[in-house]
Amino acid sequence: MIVGYIIGTATTQEATMLAKEPVRLGRYVILEYDNLKVLGLITAVTRGSPLINDSMDDVEILDDMTFVNQIPRYIKSEIKLVFDFNSGSQPDIPPIAGTPVRFAEDDELKKLFSDGDISIGKLIGTKVPVKIKINSLARHLAILAATGSGKSNTVAVISQRISNIGGSVLIFDYHGEYYNSDIQFLNPIDPKLNPRYLAAREFSTLLEIPRNAPIQYRILRRAFTEYQKEIEEKINSGEIDMSQLNDSFIDDIERIINDILKDDQQKKAKDSADEVKNKLEEFAERYAGIIDLTAPDITLQIKTRRVNVVDISHLDEDAMDAIVSHYLRKILECRKNYKRKGKGLSFPVISVIEEAHVFLSKIDNTLTKIWAGKIAREGRKFGVGLIIVSQRPKGLDENILSQMTNKIILKIVEPNDKKYILDASDNLSEDLVNQLSALDTGEAIIIGNLVKIPAFVKIDRFEGRLGGADPDMIGEWQKAEEEDKLNSTAADFG
């Protein structure tokens, strides 16, 4: 069915349609001309009247025209030309004026949007499933949206469906909304930091030993390396009481530092050694809740066909940062070892960082930013994907955001956020960004290698319990009031 005709001047990228009926933003249309069959996307809709323009200033005339129902009106739509079915690329010839326009049929859209690996929703206004290509997640993904627009639901849907096809997802659960959810085949992981698996430089960073303090670092590295070697030898020989390991950790390293100072050449480093001891004690206090020398390595806890969830919601931000940073480092290095030497983590992992603007701040330096940045640059080669999730895009590190080749962008209203996303995205155009404010909850634009062409999608609703929804405040007040009445009644009888 013809819905309109092209008018005026068109280019190979855009055209204007005079429509016969109202059309919705985000609908796909077909234009056939010059042996081309071109898919277009409605990016703007305007309505007006040639007789009633901004210069109209007589309301009585309008009363008369309305009374006889003789007001001529028009509907115009801007169409973004996105794909030529014949060449499989952007059309190279613009449509001429008078070209008829029709809505795309479901079968035509399925050829473009339904050949991926997992379905995450349907094209807006249709029943056409949108399937994304999982291999493209190796080039990473940013899920961006205003609060309450459907980020958590999107993460749950993607994670569940990746695990259903045998994949492995690791979610750093900032708010505890996945840990206690109805996600199937959930593998809960206790957030622990085991110094036995820390690198010396990583341990030094956690102790906040400055880069310009080489003597402190040298003392720490020597003591820490000797400690790790000593512990592993005792574990292998069965000469250690694992239940006492955590209690003696700091004392054991300080003992080794004291042994180092017995060397005449090291005695002059006593002040530096004392500073290292102070930092060791501060480290033990700061990370008291997560240090555990009996905890297994994170790479031994992650499983395939599971949604692996690390609940970090009860930790302060320093401890969260330490956990996320350490786990990302271990995953990347173990995947590198497996690819190069055949030993390490044998399967790809996709890590999800919620509230990414906290860990990957544009302003603050965090431990996580170092390893997330490395994964953004190198992870693709080793099968380590990264999904960052944020409601404050303009607070994200620009370099890391720009390396998220794929983006799922839900409703965003704040102009600075939209501009920041546009500046950091090679494959996002201004006409698409302008649509972000008009999206409803759960609706999104998908761009990047996940799909062949930009897709306007209604994300499926996660079936089951999931935290993060707005609280029923009125319901909770009523419940509290009822409980007070019951308690009061019971007291009267008492």
Side-chain angles (χ1 to χ4, degrees), residues 107-173:
D107 288 342
E108 293 169 322
L109 295 173
K110 285 178 182 175
K111 292 177 182 176
L112 289 175
F113 296 105
S114 303
D115 65 344
D117 303 299
I118 61 168
S119 174
I120 65 166
K122 294 183 174 57
L123 281 180
I124 292 175
T126 77
K127 295 181 179 179
V128 176
V130 175
K131 296 183 177 180
I132 61 173
K133 302 168 186 172
I134 294 303
N135 284 346
S136 296
L137 287 176
R139 292 179 182 271
H140 318 302
L141 166 67
I143 299 175
L144 309 170
T147 300
S149 296
K151 296 186 303 298
S152 300
N153 180 76
T154 304
V155 169
V157 168
I158 292 176
S159 301
Q160 183 71 85
R161 294 179 184 177
I162 289 176
S163 72
N164 288 347
I165 62 169
S168 180
V169 178
L170 175 66
I171 301 175
F172 295 103
D173 192 359

Side-chain angles (χ1 to χ4, degrees), residues 192-209 211 217 220-221 224-225 228 283 286-287 297-298 319-333 367-368 370-371:
K192 294 295 179 185
L193 202 62
N194 188 337
R196 289 165 52 203
Y197 304 122
L198 292 175
R201 177 58 73 182
E202 187 179 17
F203 189 46
S204 166
T205 303
L206 290 172
L207 261 64
E208 298 183 350
I209 290 180
R211 288 274 180 175
Y217 176 64
L220 176 73
R221 182 184 60 187
F224 186 59
T225 304
Q228 286 180 315
F283 166 84
R286 187 185 314 130
Y287 299 114
D297 190 290
I298 180 60
M320 287 182 181
D321 189 28
I323 287 288
V324 177
S325 166
H326 175 61
Y327 286 8
L328 291 181
R329 180 185 75 81
K330 290 293 295 182
I331 290 169
L332 180 61
E333 292 190 345
L367 302 173
T368 299
I370 297 170
W371 289 100

Side-chain angles (χ1 to χ4, degrees), residues 340-351:
R340 291 167 177 167
K341 302 175 183 176
K343 295 181 180 179
L345 190 57
S346 61
F347 52 85
V349 176
I350 299 167
S351 299

Side-chain angles (χ1 to χ4, degrees), residues 413-448:
V413 178
E414 215 282 316
N416 290 330
D417 277 333
K418 291 197 285 190
K419 183 177 186 308
Y420 196 72
I421 296 170
L422 179 63
D423 291 344
S425 307
D426 293 333
N427 48 9
L428 184 63
S429 56
E430 190 168 358
D431 52 357
L432 293 180
V433 170
N434 290 337
Q435 311 310 314
L436 295 175
S437 303
L439 295 174
D440 203 351
T441 300
E443 294 180 345
I445 299 175
I446 303 179
I447 59 171

Side-chain angles (χ1 to χ4, degrees), residues 49-64:
S49 169
L51 293 184
I52 307 174
N53 53 31
D54 293 342
S55 63
M56 171 64 72
D57 57 4
D58 191 334
V59 73
E60 292 182 357
I61 293 178
L62 281 177
D63 277 340
D64 294 341

Side-chain angles (χ1 to χ4, degrees), residues 263-279:
D263 185 331
D264 289 340
Q265 293 184 344
Q266 299 292 340
K267 285 183 178 176
K268 58 186 177 184
K270 183 177 182 306
D271 289 345
S272 295
D274 287 343
E275 188 61 26
V276 172
K277 290 179 185 176
N278 288 336
K279 291 183 181 301

